[in-house]
């Protein structure tokens, strides 16, 4: 569905990404994991057509993405970042905004916004302004704002990293369910292996601007993957007592 080939991305004389090939199939959910500065966010932005690589090609549903069709393809995607970046208006208007931009009628907007407020359990917050929402509530609004667009691909860059553990688990469970139920193709950036099983089995490990491993989360957690970035990232979990039975 979405594929990049021979991607090189340089910024300020520094090579940030070098990827021969990376792709995601329709309905698939892939987690991108890697150390700080590995290039996860940059790859996500390249895939989401928010950052233009220095060289290389991007294909969406088999068609090459060019200057002429970038905007049309972008409209079929949505991105969730760690910070909600909500507007200073009601929760309802924040969720409705993207649909207003797309020129939908009021009745359609109302139906879709109400549906997603309900799905994310934030109907009671509809008249509130985002300024006084908790971190978890803000990220629920952020997710509603993306899902309401019915994107064909949803990108999430460490969406729950700033949240407390119980809220994070709660949102991961709900996001996992929503992605499965809507069949949405998704790319999820995290630096925490324990978040991945809620959403997918499929992991791509990024290190030094390249994809150094692609495979199953169980193989990684069971210690069967020897690439240095994976061993490095697993280090802290090995020290954590409750993971002892799981990781060799
Ligand atoms: N516009 C830019 N100019 C110069 N360097 C950049 C630019 N954008 C990103 N970088 C560098 O590229 C590297 C990859 O950055 P990126 O944000 O993709 O990493 P990341 O894997 O998401 O890291 P983190 O886990 O900290 O979020 C980093 O070393 C970063 O400093
Ligand atoms: Mg990042």
């Amino acid at each position: 569905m979405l594929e990049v080939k021979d991607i090189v991305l340089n910024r300020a004389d520094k090579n940030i990404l070098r990827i021969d090939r990376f792709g995601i199939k329709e309905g698939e959910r892939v987690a991108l994991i890697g150390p700080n500065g590995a290039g996860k966010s940059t790859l996500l932005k390249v895939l989401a057509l928010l950052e233009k690589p220095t060289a290389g090609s991007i294909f969406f549903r088999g068609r090459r993405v060019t200057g002429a069709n970038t905007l049309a393809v972008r409209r079929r995607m949505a991105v969730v970042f760690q910070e909600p970046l909500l507007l200073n208006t009601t929760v309802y208007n924040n969720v409705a905004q993207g649909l207003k931009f797309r020129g939908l009628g009021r009745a359609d907007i109302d139906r879709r916004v109400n549906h997603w407020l309900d799905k994310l359990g934030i109907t009671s917050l509809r008249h509130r302004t985002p300024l006084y929402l908790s971190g978890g509530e803000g990220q629920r609004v952020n997710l509603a704002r993306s899902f309401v667009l019915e994107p064909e691909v949803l990108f999430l860059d460490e969406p729950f990293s700033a949240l407390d553990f119980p809220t994070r688990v709660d949102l991961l469970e709900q996001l996992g369910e929503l992605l499965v139920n809507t069949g949405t193709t998704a790319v999820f950036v995290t630096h925490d292996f324990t978040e991945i099983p809620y959403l997918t089995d499929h992991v791509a490990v990024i290190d030094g601007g390249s994809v150094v491993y692609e495979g199953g989360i169980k193989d990684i957690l069971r210690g069967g993957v020897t690439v240095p970035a994976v061993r490095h990232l697993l280090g802290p979990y090995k020290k954590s007592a409750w993971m002892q039975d799981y990781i060799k």
Side-chain angles (χ1 to χ4, degrees):
M1 176 177 206
L2 184 62
E3 192 178 21
V4 295
K5 278 189 189 154
D6 302 319
I7 294 291
V8 175
L9 189 142
N10 301 327
R11 292 284 182 267
D13 289 338
K14 196 179 148 205
N15 177 244
I16 292 165
L17 286 184
R18 183 173 293 274
I19 295 173
D20 298 340
R21 195 215 147 262
F22 179 73
I24 177 160
K25 297 194 184 82
E26 175 135 38
E28 202 173 47
R29 300 176 298 281
V30 59
L32 302 183
I33 193 160
N36 287 131
K40 304 179 294 296
S41 297
T42 309
L43 175 58
L44 180 131
K45 283 186 251 174
V46 167
L47 291 166
L49 311 180
L50 295 172
E51 189 140 359
K52 200 171 179 300
T54 313
S57 325
I58 305 170
F59 298 88
F60 183 73
R61 297 194 181 280
R63 265 187 73 198
R64 183 160 179 188
V65 177
T66 62
N69 64 16
T70 298
L71 209 64
V73 178
R74 256 301 277 132
R75 289 203 164 159
R76 296 159 76 170
M77 304 171 164
V79 189
V80 175
F81 291 106
Q82 189 175 322
E83 293 299 323
L85 302 171
L86 298 171
L87 303 169
N88 186 21
T89 171
T90 61
V91 163
Y92 181 96
N93 285 339
N94 267 280
V95 178
Q97 191 210 17
L99 298 179
K100 284 184 193 158
F101 273 138
R102 289 173 194 203
L104 262 77
R106 241 177 110 158
D108 276 343
I109 292 178
D110 203 45
R111 185 177 46 78
R112 273 164 71 166
V113 172
N114 286 334
H115 174 79
W116 284 104
L117 290 175
D118 179 48
K119 280 271 175 211
L120 284 150
I122 49 174
T123 300
S124 62
L125 305 179
R126 56 193 289 126
H127 301 301
R128 297 265 299 273
T129 60
L131 193 58
Y132 302 107
L133 296 179
S134 72
E137 290 167 342
Q139 253 349 13
R140 284 175 189 280
V141 177
N142 206 10
L143 286 175
R145 216 163 46 147
S146 287
F147 273 107
V148 80
L149 301 173
E150 296 174 2
E152 290 171 50
V153 192
L154 179 62
F155 297 92
L156 304 116
D157 192 349
E158 307 208 24
F160 310 136
S161 301
L163 305 178
D164 60 275
F165 185 64
T167 305
R168 190 144 49 100
V169 169
D170 201 24
L171 277 167
L172 281 164
E173 276 177 344
Q174 287 185 40
L175 174 63
E177 243 171 66
L178 291 175
L179 290 176
V180 169
N181 292 345
T182 54
T184 307
T185 308
V187 180
F188 176 80
V189 170
T190 179
H191 57 252
D192 184 345
F193 278 114
T194 64
E195 291 192 341
I196 296 174
Y198 293 98
L199 304 178
T200 183
D201 175 50
H202 183 166
V203 183
V205 180
I206 319 292
D207 192 22
S210 295
V211 179
V212 293
Y213 176 81
E214 245 190 286
I217 182 67
K218 291 197 185 95
D219 293 334
I220 290 178
L221 292 177
R222 285 176 185 154
V225 179
T226 54
V227 297
V230 170
R231 293 170 79 145
H232 173 74
L233 287 165
L234 275 181
Y237 298 100
K238 287 192 174 170
K239 291 180 196 156
S240 151
W242 68 273
M243 292 288 281
Q244 286 298 327
D245 290 341
Y246 204 42
I247 301 175
K248 296 230 163 39

